[in-house]
Amino acid sequence: MSLNLERNSKWMEGSGPQADIVISSRIRLARNLKGMPFPNLMNEAQEVKVIRQVGQAIRAPGVFQAVGELRLQTLRELSPVERQILVEKHLISPDLAEGKGEKAVVLRDDEAISIMVNEEDHLRLQCLLPALMLHEAWRLADAADDALENELDFAFDQERGYLTACPTNVGTGLRASTMLHLPALVLTKQAGQVLTALTKVGVAVRGLYGEGTEAQGNIFQVSNQITLGRSEEEIINNLSAVTVRLADQEREARELLRKQNRWQLEDRVGRAYGILTNARILSSQEALQLLSDVRLGVEMKILRGLDQRLINQLMVRIQPAYLQFTAGKEMTPFERDVRRAAMVRELLAG
Ligand SMILES: Nc1ncnc2c1ncn2[C@@H]1O[C@H](COP(=O)(O)OP(=O)(O)OP(=O)(O)O)[C@@H](O)[C@H]1O
Protein backbone atom coordinates (compact mmCIF):
# COMPACT_ATOMS: atom_id res chain seq x y z
CA MET A 1 0.00 0.00 0.00
CA SER A 2 1.28 3.45 -0.72
CA LEU A 3 0.59 5.58 2.32
CA ASN A 4 0.07 9.24 1.66
CA LEU A 5 1.19 10.60 4.99
CA GLU A 6 0.96 14.23 3.90
CA ARG A 7 -2.72 13.96 3.02
CA ASN A 8 -5.17 15.91 5.18
CA SER A 9 -7.48 13.61 7.10
CA LYS A 10 -11.22 14.01 6.84
CA TRP A 11 -11.46 15.17 10.48
CA MET A 12 -9.31 18.21 9.71
CA GLU A 13 -11.99 19.76 7.49
CA GLY A 14 -13.05 22.14 10.25
CA SER A 15 -16.72 22.39 9.26
CA GLY A 16 -19.97 20.89 10.53
CA PRO A 17 -22.19 21.16 13.63
CA GLN A 18 -20.56 22.97 16.59
CA ALA A 19 -17.32 23.36 14.58
CA ASP A 20 -16.54 26.56 16.49
CA ILE A 21 -15.65 24.38 19.49
CA VAL A 22 -15.81 20.70 18.54
CA ILE A 23 -12.82 19.74 16.40
CA SER A 24 -13.63 16.08 15.74
CA SER A 25 -15.80 13.10 16.62
CA ARG A 26 -14.63 9.54 16.94
CA ILE A 27 -16.38 6.19 17.28
CA ARG A 28 -14.30 3.15 18.00
CA LEU A 29 -15.37 -0.45 18.27
CA ALA A 30 -13.24 -3.10 19.97
CA ARG A 31 -13.52 -6.52 18.33
CA ASN A 32 -11.68 -9.82 18.76
CA LEU A 33 -11.47 -12.99 16.74
CA LYS A 34 -13.01 -16.12 18.22
CA GLY A 35 -10.57 -18.87 19.21
CA MET A 36 -7.53 -16.60 19.29
CA PRO A 37 -5.89 -15.33 22.52
CA PHE A 38 -6.10 -11.61 23.19
CA PRO A 39 -3.14 -9.64 21.76
CA ASN A 40 -1.17 -9.45 25.04
CA LEU A 41 -1.03 -13.28 25.05
CA MET A 42 -0.38 -13.93 21.35
CA ASN A 43 2.82 -15.25 19.85
CA GLU A 44 4.23 -13.88 16.61
CA ALA A 45 2.63 -16.55 14.41
CA GLN A 46 -0.78 -15.74 15.87
CA GLU A 47 -0.24 -12.01 15.37
CA VAL A 48 0.63 -12.61 11.72
CA LYS A 49 -2.45 -14.82 11.36
CA VAL A 50 -4.74 -12.08 12.68
CA ILE A 51 -3.21 -9.56 10.28
CA ARG A 52 -3.64 -11.99 7.38
CA GLN A 53 -7.30 -12.66 8.25
CA VAL A 54 -8.07 -8.95 8.53
CA GLY A 55 -6.21 -8.31 5.28
CA GLN A 56 -8.40 -10.87 3.51
CA ALA A 57 -11.62 -9.64 5.09
CA ILE A 58 -11.17 -6.03 3.96
CA ARG A 59 -10.81 -7.20 0.36
CA ALA A 60 -14.23 -8.91 0.38
CA PRO A 61 -16.73 -7.39 -2.10
CA GLY A 62 -19.28 -6.88 0.71
CA VAL A 63 -16.85 -4.68 2.62
CA PHE A 64 -16.05 -2.66 -0.48
CA GLN A 65 -19.78 -2.15 -1.15
CA ALA A 66 -20.42 -1.07 2.43
CA VAL A 67 -17.62 1.41 2.99
CA GLY A 68 -15.37 1.55 -0.08
CA GLU A 69 -11.78 0.47 -0.48
CA LEU A 70 -9.74 -0.25 2.66
CA ARG A 71 -6.02 -0.92 2.62
CA LEU A 72 -3.77 -2.61 5.12
CA GLN A 73 -0.30 -1.46 6.12
CA THR A 74 1.91 -3.40 8.52
CA LEU A 75 3.72 -1.21 11.02
CA ARG A 76 6.93 -3.21 10.55
CA GLU A 77 7.25 -1.70 7.08
CA LEU A 78 7.05 1.85 8.42
CA SER A 79 9.89 3.86 9.92
CA PRO A 80 9.45 5.22 13.47
CA VAL A 81 8.84 8.68 11.97
CA GLU A 82 6.11 7.36 9.65
CA ARG A 83 4.39 5.58 12.55
CA GLN A 84 4.57 8.70 14.63
CA ILE A 85 2.87 10.72 11.88
CA LEU A 86 -0.10 8.34 12.11
CA VAL A 87 -0.27 9.17 15.83
CA GLU A 88 0.01 12.89 15.12
CA LYS A 89 -2.92 12.57 12.70
CA HIS A 90 -4.89 10.70 15.42
CA LEU A 91 -5.21 7.61 13.20
CA ILE A 92 -3.46 5.25 15.62
CA SER A 93 -2.73 5.35 19.34
CA PRO A 94 0.75 5.99 20.76
CA ASP A 95 0.58 2.40 22.10
CA LEU A 96 0.18 0.87 18.65
CA ALA A 97 3.02 2.98 17.24
CA GLU A 98 5.45 2.02 19.98
CA GLY A 99 4.30 -1.52 20.66
CA LYS A 100 6.42 -4.61 20.04
CA GLY A 101 5.28 -7.45 17.79
CA GLU A 102 3.39 -7.66 14.53
CA LYS A 103 0.86 -4.85 14.17
CA ALA A 104 -0.98 -3.21 11.31
CA VAL A 105 -3.31 -0.38 10.42
CA VAL A 106 -6.11 -0.42 7.88
CA LEU A 107 -7.03 2.90 6.30
CA ARG A 108 -9.64 4.23 3.93
CA ASP A 109 -8.34 6.78 1.46
CA ASP A 110 -9.92 9.79 3.23
CA GLU A 111 -8.73 8.44 6.60
CA ALA A 112 -12.27 8.61 8.01
CA ILE A 113 -11.93 4.88 8.75
CA SER A 114 -8.88 3.39 10.40
CA ILE A 115 -8.54 -0.01 12.02
CA MET A 116 -5.73 -0.75 14.43
CA VAL A 117 -4.82 -4.44 14.26
CA ASN A 118 -3.28 -6.13 17.34
CA GLU A 119 -3.50 -3.14 19.64
CA GLU A 120 -5.21 -3.95 22.96
CA ASP A 121 -7.80 -5.95 20.97
CA HIS A 122 -7.41 -7.74 17.63
CA LEU A 123 -9.37 -4.99 15.89
CA ARG A 124 -9.96 -1.43 16.97
CA LEU A 125 -12.24 -0.04 14.29
CA GLN A 126 -12.34 3.76 14.36
CA CYS A 127 -14.31 6.35 12.42
CA LEU A 128 -13.10 9.90 12.69
CA LEU A 129 -15.11 12.82 11.32
CA PRO A 130 -14.92 16.60 11.73
CA ALA A 131 -17.02 18.64 14.19
CA LEU A 132 -19.88 17.04 16.15
CA MET A 133 -20.79 14.13 13.90
CA LEU A 134 -20.98 11.23 16.29
CA HIS A 135 -24.14 9.81 14.71
CA GLU A 136 -22.61 9.92 11.23
CA ALA A 137 -19.40 8.34 12.56
CA TRP A 138 -21.49 5.65 14.22
CA ARG A 139 -23.36 4.87 11.00
CA LEU A 140 -20.06 4.47 9.18
CA ALA A 141 -18.54 2.33 11.94
CA ASP A 142 -21.66 0.19 12.12
CA ALA A 143 -21.63 -0.41 8.37
CA ALA A 144 -17.94 -1.35 8.42
CA ASP A 145 -18.46 -3.58 11.46
CA ASP A 146 -21.42 -5.44 9.91
CA ALA A 147 -19.55 -5.98 6.65
CA LEU A 148 -16.44 -7.23 8.45
CA GLU A 149 -18.52 -9.48 10.69
CA ASN A 150 -19.72 -11.29 7.59
CA GLU A 151 -16.10 -12.20 6.88
CA LEU A 152 -14.65 -12.63 10.37
CA ASP A 153 -15.82 -14.61 13.38
CA PHE A 154 -15.94 -12.10 16.25
CA ALA A 155 -15.83 -13.27 19.87
CA PHE A 156 -19.36 -12.62 21.15
CA ASP A 157 -21.30 -13.83 24.15
CA GLN A 158 -25.11 -13.78 24.22
CA GLU A 159 -25.17 -12.26 27.69
CA ARG A 160 -22.05 -10.12 27.78
CA GLY A 161 -21.89 -8.93 24.18
CA TYR A 162 -18.55 -8.44 22.42
CA LEU A 163 -15.64 -9.85 24.40
CA THR A 164 -12.66 -7.58 24.83
CA ALA A 165 -9.17 -7.73 26.37
CA CYS A 166 -10.05 -5.17 29.03
CA PRO A 167 -13.33 -5.77 30.90
CA THR A 168 -14.14 -2.04 30.71
CA ASN A 169 -14.84 -2.47 26.98
CA VAL A 170 -17.03 -5.58 27.14
CA GLY A 171 -20.56 -5.24 25.75
CA THR A 172 -20.80 -2.85 22.87
CA GLY A 173 -17.00 -2.38 22.73
CA LEU A 174 -17.86 1.17 21.84
CA ARG A 175 -16.10 4.35 22.79
CA ALA A 176 -17.63 7.56 21.48
CA SER A 177 -15.44 10.61 21.86
CA THR A 178 -15.22 14.23 20.88
CA MET A 179 -12.20 16.51 20.79
CA LEU A 180 -13.04 20.01 22.00
CA HIS A 181 -11.23 23.33 22.10
CA LEU A 182 -12.02 24.94 25.47
CA PRO A 183 -9.73 27.98 25.87
CA ALA A 184 -12.28 30.29 27.51
CA LEU A 185 -13.13 27.72 30.18
CA VAL A 186 -9.38 27.44 30.84
CA LEU A 187 -8.82 31.21 30.85
CA THR A 188 -11.71 31.79 33.23
CA LYS A 189 -10.41 28.94 35.42
CA GLN A 190 -13.62 26.90 35.13
CA ALA A 191 -12.21 23.98 33.12
CA GLY A 192 -11.01 21.98 36.14
CA GLN A 193 -14.36 22.10 37.88
CA VAL A 194 -16.47 21.52 34.77
CA LEU A 195 -14.40 18.55 33.58
CA THR A 196 -14.10 16.96 37.03
CA ALA A 197 -17.88 17.08 37.31
CA LEU A 198 -18.10 15.09 34.06
CA THR A 199 -15.86 12.31 35.36
CA LYS A 200 -18.40 11.78 38.14
CA VAL A 201 -21.18 11.04 35.64
CA GLY A 202 -19.35 8.40 33.62
CA VAL A 203 -17.50 10.63 31.15
CA ALA A 204 -13.73 10.22 30.74
CA VAL A 205 -11.65 13.33 30.06
CA ARG A 206 -8.34 12.80 28.28
CA GLY A 207 -5.55 14.77 26.65
CA LEU A 208 -4.69 15.50 23.05
CA TYR A 209 -3.51 11.98 22.16
CA GLY A 210 -5.93 9.97 24.28
CA GLU A 211 -5.38 7.83 27.36
CA GLY A 212 -2.45 8.91 29.54
CA THR A 213 -1.72 12.09 27.56
CA GLU A 214 -2.04 15.70 28.61
CA ALA A 215 -4.34 18.40 27.34
CA GLN A 216 -2.23 20.67 25.13
CA GLY A 217 -3.40 23.81 23.38
CA ASN A 218 -6.61 23.76 25.48
CA ILE A 219 -7.79 20.66 23.62
CA PHE A 220 -9.59 17.95 25.56
CA GLN A 221 -11.11 14.62 24.57
CA VAL A 222 -14.27 13.46 26.30
CA SER A 223 -15.63 9.93 25.96
CA ASN A 224 -17.96 7.40 27.60
CA GLN A 225 -16.57 5.26 30.44
CA ILE A 226 -19.26 2.60 30.27
CA THR A 227 -19.71 0.17 27.38
CA LEU A 228 -21.95 -2.44 28.99
CA GLY A 229 -25.67 -2.35 29.72
CA ARG A 230 -26.45 0.50 27.37
CA SER A 231 -27.24 0.49 23.68
CA GLU A 232 -24.96 2.15 21.16
CA GLU A 233 -27.61 4.80 20.51
CA GLU A 234 -27.85 5.63 24.21
CA ILE A 235 -24.09 5.98 24.57
CA ILE A 236 -23.87 8.23 21.50
CA ASN A 237 -26.89 10.36 22.43
CA ASN A 238 -25.48 10.84 25.90
CA LEU A 239 -22.03 11.87 24.68
CA SER A 240 -23.55 14.19 22.07
CA ALA A 241 -25.59 15.87 24.80
CA VAL A 242 -22.52 16.20 27.05
CA THR A 243 -20.57 17.70 24.14
CA VAL A 244 -23.29 20.23 23.31
CA ARG A 245 -23.53 21.23 26.97
CA LEU A 246 -19.74 21.68 27.20
CA ALA A 247 -19.74 23.72 23.98
CA ASP A 248 -22.50 25.93 25.44
CA GLN A 249 -20.48 26.46 28.62
CA GLU A 250 -17.42 27.35 26.55
CA ARG A 251 -19.52 29.84 24.50
CA GLU A 252 -20.82 31.45 27.69
CA ALA A 253 -17.24 31.79 28.96
CA ARG A 254 -16.22 33.35 25.63
CA GLU A 255 -19.01 35.90 25.86
CA LEU A 256 -18.01 36.70 29.42
CA LEU A 257 -14.45 37.32 28.25
CA ARG A 258 -15.73 39.49 25.41
CA LYS A 259 -17.82 41.56 27.81
CA GLN A 260 -15.42 41.84 30.72
CA ASN A 261 -11.97 41.56 29.16
CA ARG A 262 -12.42 42.56 25.56
CA TRP A 263 -9.10 44.38 25.15
CA GLN A 264 -7.10 41.70 26.93
CA LEU A 265 -8.77 39.08 24.75
CA GLU A 266 -8.12 40.90 21.47
CA ASP A 267 -4.59 41.68 22.60
CA ARG A 268 -3.93 38.02 23.38
CA VAL A 269 -5.23 36.90 19.99
CA GLY A 270 -3.32 39.63 18.14
CA ARG A 271 -0.07 38.87 19.96
CA ALA A 272 -0.40 35.16 19.24
CA TYR A 273 -0.91 35.88 15.56
CA GLY A 274 2.00 38.31 15.63
CA ILE A 275 4.37 35.76 17.14
CA LEU A 276 3.26 32.94 14.85
CA THR A 277 3.75 35.08 11.75
CA ASN A 278 7.15 36.43 12.86
CA ALA A 279 8.91 33.96 15.13
CA ARG A 280 12.11 32.30 13.95
CA ILE A 281 12.21 29.58 16.65
CA LEU A 282 9.07 27.80 17.86
CA SER A 283 8.71 24.79 20.14
CA SER A 284 5.67 22.56 19.55
CA GLN A 285 4.36 23.39 23.01
CA GLU A 286 4.50 27.13 22.35
CA ALA A 287 3.07 26.71 18.85
CA LEU A 288 0.10 24.71 20.15
CA GLN A 289 -0.66 27.34 22.79
CA LEU A 290 -0.42 30.20 20.28
CA LEU A 291 -2.50 28.28 17.76
CA SER A 292 -5.14 27.87 20.46
CA ASP A 293 -5.25 31.67 20.90
CA VAL A 294 -5.44 32.20 17.14
CA ARG A 295 -8.15 29.55 16.83
CA LEU A 296 -10.13 31.36 19.52
CA GLY A 297 -9.69 34.59 17.55
CA VAL A 298 -10.98 32.92 14.39
CA GLU A 299 -13.89 31.28 16.19
CA MET A 300 -14.88 34.56 17.87
CA LYS A 301 -14.44 36.45 14.59
CA ILE A 302 -11.72 38.64 16.08
CA LEU A 303 -9.34 37.46 13.36
CA ARG A 304 -10.63 37.33 9.82
CA GLY A 305 -9.27 35.66 6.72
CA LEU A 306 -8.18 32.45 8.47
CA ASP A 307 -10.18 29.27 8.87
CA GLN A 308 -10.28 26.29 11.21
CA ARG A 309 -9.24 23.93 8.46
CA LEU A 310 -5.85 25.67 8.20
CA ILE A 311 -5.45 25.63 11.98
CA ASN A 312 -6.26 21.90 12.14
CA GLN A 313 -3.67 21.29 9.43
CA LEU A 314 -1.12 23.38 11.29
CA MET A 315 -1.80 21.47 14.49
CA VAL A 316 -0.63 18.31 12.75
CA ARG A 317 2.13 19.86 10.66
CA ILE A 318 3.94 21.41 13.61
CA GLN A 319 4.41 17.99 15.20
CA PRO A 320 7.96 16.58 15.35
CA ALA A 321 7.52 13.54 13.08
CA TYR A 322 5.57 15.42 10.43
CA LEU A 323 8.25 18.13 10.32
CA GLN A 324 11.04 15.61 9.90
CA PHE A 325 9.14 13.69 7.28
CA THR A 326 8.55 16.74 5.10
CA ALA A 327 12.19 17.80 5.59
CA GLY A 328 13.26 14.33 4.47
CA LYS A 329 15.76 13.96 7.32
CA GLU A 330 16.14 13.51 11.04
CA MET A 331 16.50 16.79 12.90
CA THR A 332 17.66 17.91 16.33
CA PRO A 333 15.03 19.61 18.52
CA PHE A 334 16.58 22.99 17.71
CA GLU A 335 16.52 22.35 13.95
CA ARG A 336 12.88 21.38 14.29
CA ASP A 337 12.06 24.57 16.17
CA VAL A 338 13.57 26.63 13.35
CA ARG A 339 11.80 24.64 10.64
CA ARG A 340 8.51 24.77 12.55
CA ALA A 341 8.66 28.56 12.76
CA ALA A 342 9.40 28.83 9.02
CA MET A 343 6.59 26.46 8.10
CA VAL A 344 4.04 28.27 10.30
CA ARG A 345 5.05 31.66 8.85
CA GLU A 346 4.73 30.33 5.32
CA LEU A 347 1.33 28.67 5.83
CA LEU A 348 -0.18 31.63 7.69
CA ALA A 349 1.10 34.03 5.05
CA GLY A 350 -0.32 31.85 2.25
N1 LIG B 1 -12.53 12.79 19.14
C1 LIG B 1 -11.30 12.48 18.74
N2 LIG B 1 -10.73 13.15 17.72
C2 LIG B 1 -9.50 12.84 17.30
N3 LIG B 1 -8.76 11.86 17.81
C3 LIG B 1 -9.26 11.16 18.82
C4 LIG B 1 -10.54 11.44 19.34
N4 LIG B 1 -10.76 10.57 20.37
C5 LIG B 1 -9.67 9.80 20.46
N5 LIG B 1 -8.78 10.13 19.52
C6 LIG B 1 -7.47 9.50 19.30
O1 LIG B 1 -7.61 8.09 19.35
C7 LIG B 1 -6.47 7.49 19.96
C8 LIG B 1 -6.89 6.58 21.11
O2 LIG B 1 -7.49 7.35 22.13
P1 LIG B 1 -7.87 6.75 23.55
O3 LIG B 1 -6.67 6.12 24.17
O4 LIG B 1 -8.57 7.82 24.32
O5 LIG B 1 -9.00 5.75 23.14
P2 LIG B 1 -9.13 4.17 23.12
O6 LIG B 1 -7.91 3.54 22.59
O7 LIG B 1 -10.39 3.92 22.42
O8 LIG B 1 -9.31 3.92 24.65
P3 LIG B 1 -9.04 2.66 25.60
O9 LIG B 1 -7.74 2.02 25.16
O10 LIG B 1 -8.96 3.27 26.95
O11 LIG B 1 -10.22 1.78 25.45
C9 LIG B 1 -5.57 8.65 20.37
O12 LIG B 1 -4.59 8.83 19.37
C10 LIG B 1 -6.50 9.84 20.39
O13 LIG B 1 -5.86 11.06 20.11
Side-chain angles (χ1 to χ4, degrees), residues 109-154:
D109 224 33
D110 63 357
E111 299 177 349
I113 301 180
S114 68
I115 306 173
M116 297 192 268
V117 186
N118 294 340
E119 207 237 25
E120 190 179 302
D121 296 289
H122 296 143
L123 282 88
R124 285 273 175 123
L125 166 63
Q126 325 177 87
C127 291
L128 202 49
L129 292 179
L132 181 55
M133 295 218 244
L134 281 174
H135 286 99
E136 292 80 354
W138 161 244
R139 276 197 289 279
L140 188 59
D142 194 28
D145 181 44
D146 284 350
L148 286 170
E149 199 158 16
N150 286 333
E151 310 301 321
L152 297 165
D153 210 359
F154 289 151

Side-chain angles (χ1 to χ4, degrees), residues 24 26 28 90 124 175 177 206 208-209 211 221:
S24 55
R26 170 182 182 254
R28 79 98 170 102
H90 296 270
R124 285 273 175 123
R175 186 185 290 280
S177 109
R206 295 175 166 178
L208 185 55
Y209 295 103
E211 200 174 10
Q221 288 173 12

Side-chain angles (χ1 to χ4, degrees), residues 278-294:
N278 287 286
R280 294 298 188 265
I281 304 169
L282 259 186
S283 70
S284 49
Q285 197 72 18
E286 186 183 10
L288 273 176
Q289 184 53 52
L290 295 169
L291 278 175
S292 166
D293 292 341
V294 165

Side-chain angles (χ1 to χ4, degrees), residues 11 23-28 30 86-95 116 119-121 124 126 128-129 134 166 168-169 175-180 206-213 220-223:
W11 71 263
I23 299 174
S24 55
S25 298
R26 170 182 182 254
I27 294 288
R28 79 98 170 102
L86 294 173
V87 176
E88 291 171 358
K89 292 173 91 177
H90 296 270
L91 300 174
I92 67 173
S93 64
D95 276 358
M116 297 192 268
E119 207 237 25
E120 190 179 302
D121 296 289
R124 285 273 175 123
Q126 325 177 87
L128 202 49
L129 292 179
L134 281 174
C166 177
T168 56
N169 287 312
R175 186 185 290 280
S177 109
T178 51
M179 178 153 82
L180 297 103
R206 295 175 166 178
L208 185 55
Y209 295 103
E211 200 174 10
T213 66
F220 300 84
Q221 288 173 12
V222 296
S223 59

